[in-house]
Amino acid sequence: MMLLSVKETEKMDDIDAMFSDLLGEMNTLSQSLMPSADRTEVDSALQTERTFSIGFTDLNESLKELEDHDLDALMADLASRSTTSECSLPTYQQAGSCADNEMAASALPPPSNSAESSGGLQTSEPQTKSDKIKLALEKLKEAKVRKLIVKVLMSDGSSKILMVDERQTVREVLDMLFEKTHCDCSIDWSLCETNPELQIERGFEDHEHVVEPLSSWTRLSENKMYFVSRPQKYVMFTNPQIFYMWKKKKECSSKINEQAKQLLLQEHFGGSTLIVPDLEGTLYLKEDGKKVWKPRYFVLRASGIYYVPKGKTKSSSDLVCFVHFEKFNIYNTKHFKLKYRAPTDFCFMLKHPCIQKDSDYIKFLCCDDEHTLLLWVNSIRIAKYGTTLYKNYQAAMKRAHPSASHNDRHNSQVNTQQAPPQTTNVEDYPHEAPPDFIPPPPPGHTQV
């Protein structure tokens, strides 16, 4: 479906209808775009020009929600793209400083604009917000990078409106929110998505690109994004003994000193290969399409979660693959004891990020207590993201304590000299690659 031409756009007097029509066309276009080897250059160009509105019903509402200085910053950015096609996007820090400059200059009279747009239309500098929104529509169609206008909710009920593009990571968006909110730069701050229909939530990892997970939301989705503090975000690095000494009594692990924690980090994250916690135990698995939970013994491995079939042992040859991590994200749940008759409220969900509603391809697991839930959720994150998660933690620590980077390097050298040879009690992983995950059969069929 073709986008509205400039001439047709000028004839539309109703701004609301104009933006709604544009959003409908872009939504239809986004659903029809699928990866293909023989896609033409036109299809490729259309794919990169998609612009979405997250947290709003249409683009008109989105742009109206933008503060004046944010709208001015958006206009300046889009104008720079239309005049210089080869100009790359600024980094997140540059974008933040640019926004600040726009705020400072918002009280000054706007400069005259005599440049022609890429479509050949000569326009004057917009004076009202409605004029700016009209011009923003044209510039958004000309943009060559996919962008989202997002509403980020705060814990106090307020919100911030941001424009992010497909190149920006969660770490960069967090840095921008630090500047906007003037809060501390603690490592606990996170971007979190919620899905009210499934009653789940997930904290984005700092290395993720924000546009990718948000683009999987449906147009009328009630999903929201929050800027919140999550103390358990990097608990595997601040208290590694919880995950690598979990078989010992809590009294022993709680008395471990800081030097011993650093040795654990060096042993399990400082080498060439990440060592995943040797976690195993009984969890409750929800049967597909039923509100019935059955206990099953699960074992965590670097490639995924495995279970022990009935009558079999925990040896590697008897383990059966339950899920592979590259195809699933892990989500915390809310009130599953009431919704699905779970044994406890300490549940978590494994699903593909594109699944936004109830599906037979969603996996539900339930733990006996909160501590077991903490172990499994964060151990799965370690296995899924590996050393990337540790790099995220180091970057967050550097942002929170810039002056501590030199001390960290010094302590790392001392710990390397004093550290004993790396020895663990973790079982060797099987050399043979685990089988690919096979989706469960539809309801009505007997699962072997």
Side-chain angles (χ1 to χ4, degrees):
M1 184 179 293
M2 297 296 294
L3 294 175
L4 295 175
S5 65
V6 175
K7 184 175 182 181
E8 292 172 343
T9 303
E10 290 179 337
K11 295 180 180 180
M12 297 182 67
D13 297 328
D14 190 346
I15 299 179
D16 291 339
M18 179 174 60
F19 279 98
S20 298
D21 292 343
L22 176 63
L23 180 62
E25 292 181 1
M26 289 190 294
N27 185 58
T28 303
L29 177 62
S30 66
Q31 295 177 357
S32 64
L33 288 173
M34 298 295 292
S36 176
D38 56 351
R39 187 166 301 281
T40 62
E41 294 182 359
V42 175
D43 292 334
S44 177
L46 289 175
Q47 184 177 9
T48 59
E49 291 178 4
R50 289 182 293 169
T51 304
F52 300 87
S53 171
I54 301 298
F56 303 92
T57 55
D58 55 37
L59 279 176
N60 183 33
E61 181 185 351
S62 302
L63 294 176
K64 283 184 177 180
E65 286 286 340
L66 285 174
E67 298 179 9
D68 289 338
H69 61 80
D70 288 329
L71 183 59
D72 291 339
L74 168 62
M75 294 293 297
D77 182 45
L78 293 174
S80 65
R81 293 184 185 285
S82 63
T83 55
T84 309
S85 59
E86 297 180 357
C87 179
S88 61
L89 281 174
T91 62
Y92 192 80
Q93 291 79 4
Q94 292 172 338
S97 61
C98 179
D100 292 340
N101 293 337
E102 292 291 335
M103 294 174 58
S106 58
L108 299 177
S112 60
N113 181 14
S114 60
E116 294 183 356
S117 65
S118 60
L121 177 65
Q122 185 172 1
T123 60
S124 59
E125 182 70 20
Q127 299 297 327
T128 66
K129 190 167 186 176
S130 297
D131 293 336
K132 292 179 181 180
I133 292 176
K134 284 184 178 181
L135 184 57
L137 171 64
E138 296 301 324
K139 297 299 183 181
L140 285 171
K141 291 192 295 181
E142 298 170 4
K144 301 302 181 182
V145 176
R146 185 169 46 159
K147 295 185 177 183
L148 299 179
I149 300 174
V150 299
K151 176 188 289 186
V152 184
L153 302 178
M154 308 292 161
S155 57
D156 61 357
S158 61
S159 63
K160 296 291 182 182
I161 308 301
L162 305 176
M163 185 187 69
V164 297
D165 63 64
E166 60 188 353
R167 302 181 185 184
Q168 289 177 317
T169 64
V170 172
R171 177 75 265 163
E172 293 171 327
V173 176
L174 286 175
D175 289 341
M176 180 184 220
L177 288 169
F178 290 158
E179 299 296 332
K180 283 181 170 289
T181 60
H182 304 289
C183 68
D184 62 77
C185 302
S186 168
I187 63 174
D188 296 337
W189 287 110
S190 306
L191 286 181
C192 177
E193 68 167 326
T194 62
N195 185 319
E197 182 170 349
L198 293 178
Q199 295 181 203
I200 58 174
E201 63 178 18
R202 180 178 79 94
F204 294 140
E205 304 296 346
D206 287 358
H207 66 275
E208 291 186 73
H209 290 85
V210 180
V211 169
E212 184 175 351
L214 296 187
S215 296
S216 64
W217 296 2
T218 58
R219 178 186 175 188
L220 301 179
S221 171
E222 295 183 1
N223 294 9
K224 293 179 174 59
M225 184 165 65
Y226 288 85
F227 176 58
V228 294
S229 178
R230 296 170 65 95
Q232 298 179 358
K233 180 178 181 179
Y234 289 126
V235 65
M236 69 287 293
F237 305 121
T238 57
N239 291 288
Q241 74 280 4
I242 296 178
F243 305 92
Y244 292 98
M245 299 173 60
W246 66 274
K247 293 182 179 180
K248 297 185 178 182
K249 294 182 179 180
K250 293 183 179 179
E251 292 78 9
C252 298
S253 60
S254 61
K255 295 179 181 179
I256 187 172
N257 57 32
E258 193 64 31
Q259 183 179 4
K261 292 181 182 180
Q262 293 300 322
L263 290 176
L264 281 175
L265 289 178
Q266 181 66 26
E267 180 181 359
H268 295 90
F269 296 94
S272 58
T273 304
L274 173 76
I275 300 178
V276 176
D278 59 334
L279 187 60
E280 59 185 51
T282 301
L283 300 175
Y284 296 94
L285 172 64
K286 180 180 175 295
E287 291 192 357
D288 297 332
K290 301 178 182 179
K291 293 184 178 181
V292 178
W293 299 75
K294 291 187 177 182
R296 180 161 289 185
Y297 200 87
F298 289 93
V299 179
L300 179 65
R301 290 290 183 263
S303 58
I305 301 177
Y306 295 76
Y307 68 89
V308 180
K310 291 182 179 180
K312 299 293 183 179
T313 65
K314 293 187 293 183
S315 63
S316 299
S317 58
D318 289 336
L319 295 179
V320 177
C321 182
F322 178 62
V323 292
H324 283 307
F325 293 135
E326 65 270 15
K327 300 180 182 180
F328 287 84
N329 283 337
I330 184 168
Y331 297 80
N332 293 317
T333 65
K334 294 182 178 180
H335 311 302
F336 269 27
K337 187 174 182 179
L338 177 63
K339 182 177 182 179
Y340 293 111
R341 299 178 186 174
T344 70
D345 264 330
F346 307 110
C347 305
F348 64 92
M349 175 190 290
L350 296 167
K351 76 174 185 69
H352 192 282
C354 289
I355 299 177
Q356 296 293 313
K357 298 182 178 181
D358 281 324
S359 169
D360 292 335
Y361 299 100
I362 296 177
K363 299 299 181 183
F364 302 86
L365 292 170
C366 182
C367 305
D368 286 325
D369 50 57
E370 186 176 6
H371 180 72
T372 305
L373 178 64
L374 173 73
L375 281 176
W376 277 96
V377 169
N378 290 287
S379 295
I380 290 173
R381 291 175 60 209
I382 295 173
K384 178 176 173 64
Y385 300 108
T387 56
T388 301
L389 198 64
Y390 189 48
K391 293 178 181 177
N392 291 346
Y393 167 71
Q394 292 175 316
M397 286 292 293
K398 186 177 181 180
R399 183 69 169 85
H401 308 287
S403 61
S405 59
H406 174 73
N407 295 332
D408 291 342
R409 288 194 297 269
H410 175 71
N411 293 335
S412 177
Q413 294 175 357
V414 173
N415 291 332
T416 303
Q417 295 173 359
Q418 298 178 352
Q422 295 185 8
T423 58
T424 64
N425 296 324
V426 182
E427 296 181 10
D428 293 334
Y429 299 147
H431 297 287
E432 184 179 358
D436 291 333
F437 171 69
I438 301 176
H445 289 70
T446 303
Q447 184 175 7
V448 180

